[in-house]
Amino acid sequence: MPAGGVSGSPKGAGLGRFGERRALRGRGTALLEGPDRLQGRAGRRQAPPLWNEIGESGDCRASRLRGQKLRWVGGGGSFQSPTYKAGKSGSGPLLGRWCRAMLWKTAPLLALVGQVLVLENGLLRRPPMGWLAWERFRCNIDCEEDPENCISERLFMEMADRLAQDGWRDLGYTYLNIDDCWIGGRDAKGHLMPSPKRFPNGIAFLADYAHSLGLQLGIYEDLGNFTCMGFPGTTLDKVVQDAQTFAEWKVDMLKLDGCYSTPEERAKGYPMMAAALNATGRPIAFSCSWPAYEGGLPPKVNYSQLAEICNLWRNYDDIQDSWSSVLSILDWFVDHQDILQPVAGPGHWNDPDMLLIGNFGLSFEQARAQMALWTVLAAPLFISTDLRTISAQNMDILQNPLMIKINQDPLGIQGRRILKEKSLIEVFLRPLDNNAYALVFFSRRTDMPYRFHCSLSQLNFTSSILYEAQDVYTGGVISGLRTETIFTVIINPTGVVMWYLYPVRQLGTPQQ
Ligand code: GLA
């Protein structure tokens, strides 16, 4: 078909499978070349596409396919990531009363003798979503100079109000997470205390407030002598006591950082904290910064062990408010995707750090790109911006229902980069439930919108399935996608086009 042939521009005013709540904005970003557009009944399950990165090539059309298949599990037709653990699902977070009583007595001892108690909290079967203070509000503790923005009870209550009232909570952004700089010291018995000036009613009060709004409260500590900003840390002898304090305050998530500690202390302390959290009987999601302090890679990092004791973990550097920081994190995740991709799954996620959307460093295209890339990587969605002043445009990016549905896909498979072109276009793929996929076409170009020509077969799709795609940002639907159909996506510089791709029917079978 000549260029400018059959148009795959949106149908039905952009109301695709998940478009009910989204009006079509902007023009469609895909053109089709090839067989006629077809629509029909839902197709059969199909085999998964080849999965490894296809490699560098000058042109998607010329790419040679290579790679392995994802593991295809049973006849039920679902993907499984190699480390998916059925044992962590189902039975709920709480241990029986007897077990709990025994654990209260024995956990410190077990931890001390180095035994690992598996984190059986049943939490975070989907990547966590919420708001986290650090990237935007850092360690601003000057409430006299800057009462609206300092790390204080007021800031968290105001963010809680926004989460509850502006649609965030109802879309899944339920965690309200405190980061560093909340601690005032320890009392005579060694119990952690918040800064009395900035948190006059205490953390339990904040937790109650969050819970009253249908939110959950996360807190920060550091396994070491000090937090990264120099506040009292959790030394090994304080692990059990601090876990109990967090449980008494009714905290729902703990981010345990690793500043001011040795590798040996971290190797003891993180499993010990997992055991101590379990032993409290309160379901507390556990976010471990441990791997980030060990370089993020085996053999120093044991991801099988991490998946047993942590619900999520920071692998790499802190994100800063710039596009170059997003790129450096993305590059590291892609360079090591063979290691990182298989270790993520329901209950245990890689964390490339917070979303910058709404702050100062990203353009509109870059904000959309970070959201799409983090989603395809099955990353936690922790917003770190001022929800009191966020623009409608940035809210739209963060509140895109189809994006959130993809991020929260129940299979919990982390996506991978499958194609890297000399043209500086890259393609990422994430397999989803119901034989659907998320595809992100990402441009690293800095010149002008790029017309990227490709086909599903060039992305390793091999089956005789007819697909449709919904553009996640515009809502437009691209129909009539056979594996050999050449399509064109127009990708803005440092931007993305993101598709939700789903099977329509098996070709060669009669339509009903
Ligand atoms: C480390 C962490 C950050 C943040 C700061 C707080 O740098 O990686 O995410 O928590 O500490 O001091």
Side-chain angles (χ1 to χ4, degrees), residues 132 134-135 138-139 178-181 220-222 227-231 255 257-259 289 292-293 314 316-320 353-354:
L132 177 52
W134 180 254
E135 201 293 313
R138 305 287 171 146
C139 195
I178 303 171
D179 206 273
D180 205 345
C181 309
Y220 167 101
E221 241 297 17
D222 184 288
T227 71
C228 296
M229 293 309 293
F231 291 80
K255 170 176 168 182
D257 214 337
C259 279
S289 301
Y293 286 85
R314 283 280 311 284
Y316 189 60
D317 289 350
D318 288 4
I319 199 158
Q320 309 296 340
D353 213 0
M354 289 157 274

